[in-house]
Amino acid sequence: MEAKIKQSGKILSVPLSTYRVQFWRDFPIKQALSNDLPKYLKDLGVAYCYSSPLLKARPGSTHGYDVVDHLLINPEIATSAEFDKFSSELKSRDIGLLVDIVPNHVGIGAPSSRWWMDVLEHGRGSVFSDHFDINWKAQGNKILVATLGSPLGKVIEDKQLKATWNEKEEITGADGRGIGALQLHYYSNHYPLDPASILPLLPPSCPENIRKLFQEIKQRDTLIGEENELGRLARREQSYEAKKALDGWMRSDGAIKEMQSHLDKFNADDKKVAELVAQQAYRLAYWKIASDELNYRRFFDVNELLAIKSENKGVFEESVQLIKEWIQTGKVQALRLDHPDGLYNPAKFFKDLQEIMAPVMPKELVVLDDSRPLFVLVEKILEPGESLRTSWPVSGTVGYEYMNVLNDVFVDTVKENEMRRIYAKYVSEDYNASTSAKDFAKLLYTSKRNLLFTSFQTELDAVSLLFQEILSTSSIGRDFSLKQIKKAIVETVANCPVYRTYITQECDGPTSEDNHVIDTTFKQLREKNEVDSLLADLIENVYRCKGEDKSQDYKKKARHAVMKLQQLTGPVMAKGLEDTSFYRFFLLTSLNEVGGDPDKFGLTKEEFHKYNQTRVKDWPHTMSNSSTHDTKRSEDVRARINTLSEIPDAWEHIVYKWREMNAKFKTNVAGLGPVPGPNEEYMIYQTLVGAWPMGAKEASEEFIDRMRNYLNKCVKEAKQYTTWVKQNEPYEKAVIHFMETIVKDHNWLASFLPFIHPLVRAAKLNSVSLVSLKLTCPGIPDIYQGQEVWDFSLVDPDNRR
């Protein structure tokens, strides 16, 4: 069958293998063509090229997950002609193209972000105001834009915020037409102006007919609601015609000079500037208030990535319009969905995607599964023991869970107790690390809890208000304050053992998988005894969809509250586990991987075979990967660190020897003592063992610089003694200085190099064995770019070089 398909020039809808490529400004498709990437992939035996996102992203994006325009290909990656040629070159070699798409969020801030700029201009009067997950009530029908380096008053006082005429960088509207050259500027940030606020900015010489056009523009807050859709469209047309007329006049002799002179006088008056800002559909604010007052849902805690409502038909259809064209014309054959757990209703999105694509699937594509005509993989992070929902019309995950299974089978489970003893003893002088070493579950719970009160405060407030509204309908529930309910929601989220459940408006209630998660969540919640037992019962009942016979309105609101809760548990788990706890717990750092459990020490051969048997039965076409753009360490780094599990005695001896040798290189930091502490030091040694370049006798400046960047990220993500927001420079410098010093110290190198020499050879065997398993076990093997050769990359951006 496969041979006949290849002879006829057809491509299987299910890839036999994939190769992930990270396209961006410094590696565009044009370069891939000049390097003859399609031929290289053919020679490797790859069935599908697996591409990073290709839609237009924010300028300079290194990853493509900050899409600003769903209707255009990213011009930094390719022109339409270059993309067509690349697809054609792949097809001529019987290679398919699997493209990564981003259904959960868009990039904002850039003038090219069409939907966002339209909403900033018109607020709730924008036809795109319901495209985003914005809580308009929280800021009085405005959007909080917390991008200022100081409080607004100080920014105005220092003349940093100005009204400008900037025809060179005109902002693009949602319909592709210019929003206008009249803008607010704050350094490199450009903000559109509500057309109804522009009159004071027009110079006296501006013709009366143009002034009248701006006077007639409807006020944005009179156009709220679906019934005012035509009014919103009319406002956009009014605005466009007024600005078009103004632009025409500005081309006349002397107009630019008069406009600039008038704006200079305007900007000199702080009161007028403040009044202009107050008239906008957005509230400009100090960046430090973002975590407390932002009124839109984000991708995790990234303020520049705003969640969209893909559950809305219009949003869904526009977001996949270009992708649909690519599918229909045979340029793309398969999709990868980024962060589906952020969606309001993931299952519905998957179903809608299959339904909209099924009628346009090209005939030359050989479909192997009629129930899933389009091959779709989802970036679903499965926690150990969790399974992908078999009811979803997808072909599997992108393989994070299997990456951990592959890795863990090379960890010596017999030596677990010895390795735990060594780690606990080494960090015993550090109270925080010592506590975490004994109880990883407590570390994760604490990390998630802390994040809810810092990074996810606004999302927490929104969900708490929804539950307060639901509980207020009962005589018992209305006696609990918002503060108590908020605390209960914190405990619910912090105790959730997985990313999320999947209860919807349409379902009959929680599935058995959902009920298992809810059982675990509330069992742990009650054991901690932080929430009133009656309140815990009430929230659990809402979560389990009980008591919904009160009314249809109650059921709809209760389900909505649960669905918004589900959108919160995922980001908190991701940030609490992957981006906090992974950087604090270092039993064996090769276990600290996306989709893994750092506290589970390896996998037996029997467990490995059992896992494969289940996989081939339930998800034969799911992906098998071993490295990705999101992994904390490449497979070769992990393979070398894994070997430490086989030699605990030698590891204990050497790590204490290094501790004694390198004590003199530590720096005393006020309030912390010698830095790095034992926990960070233990991590640094493991990292150097894993990432040290093969054959190197000394550390190159390139390697040292990579380690600097890595450690800088590690200590900030740990959020113990420094963070991205509140940096502790003396601490950060001390950690990096320690690394820089030891890798240049001849005495330490004389001990380090002989120790890792036998590990390098053993790790090579493990790496080759891992790849052999990946290529032959159930699932579709994926090769991340560059991993077909030895690669010792660390967390991004190091692994995206």
Side-chain angles (χ1 to χ4, degrees), residues 170-185:
E170 190 170 353
I171 298 172
T172 304
D175 56 359
R177 298 181 298 189
I179 278 180
L182 264 179
Q183 307 162 10
L184 267 178
H185 274 204

Side-chain angles (χ1 to χ4, degrees), residues 49 57 126 155 172 237 446 450 553 607-608 673 727:
C49 176
S126 167
V155 168
T172 304
E237 287 305 311
T446 304
N450 290 342
D553 182 62
E607 290 172 318
F608 179 71
Q727 299 178 23

